[in-house]
Amino acid sequence: RPPKDFELQPIFDEHLYRWEQEYFFEFFIETHLGKDASALREDPILLGLAKRLGATAPHLVHRDFQSQNLMLHENKSWIIDFQGLRMGRQEYDLASLLYDPYMNHSAGDRRKLLDLWEDVAEEEPIEPILKDCAAQRLIQDNEWYLGHIPAALAFLKEVIDDTPLEDSLGPFLD
């Protein structure tokens, strides 16, 4: 059991999802691509995405559950880097692992990881929520991430394909 005074980061809510989106608008769309992100900041589809994903937070989530935070030592797996730990959508962690640009998993590898997750969780994720979480997770950018942008963009285009997010983000991603 955690200590009684154990405190988590604030809940992964609409405000935090909007913060992630703003980070994307500022550093990827405006700084990296040199495009104006004003329309995206007010886009009802992206506002709705943050609202929808932030509406419930029933699970403990790592918030950065990707390959660089999974370590193998003496035939055991270890999860590191817990400073973002909070209550949120478990699909966000799953999406972070499945659509990890550092690993650039094939569709077959993503299916294997998803099967493992389903064995552990004893349930299948809700596909639209998983894709929404993947889209949200993939909108990030910083200096050390630049080499992984092509993989992240390919994943982002895949998860927004034939969704309302494609209409909002698609023109910026071409």
Side-chain angles (χ1 to χ4, degrees), residues 128-140:
I129 294 172
L130 178 62
K131 284 191 172 189
D132 279 352
C133 286
Q136 177 72 31
R137 172 69 180 167
L138 288 163
I139 55 175
Q140 60 179 311

Side-chain angles (χ1 to χ4, degrees), residues 87-103:
M87 297 304 288
R89 297 206 67 94
Q90 65 182 349
E91 294 91 351
Y92 190 88
D93 278 353
L94 177 59
S96 298
L97 185 62
L98 293 177
Y99 296 97
D100 181 355
Y102 304 118
M103 296 301 295

Side-chain angles (χ1 to χ4, degrees), residues 97-116:
L97 185 62
L98 293 177
Y99 296 97
D100 181 355
Y102 304 118
M103 296 301 295
N104 198 9
H105 297 298
S106 68
D109 287 343
R110 289 195 313 267
R111 181 71 248 170
K112 289 176 189 174
L113 287 169
L114 186 56
D115 289 344
L116 287 171

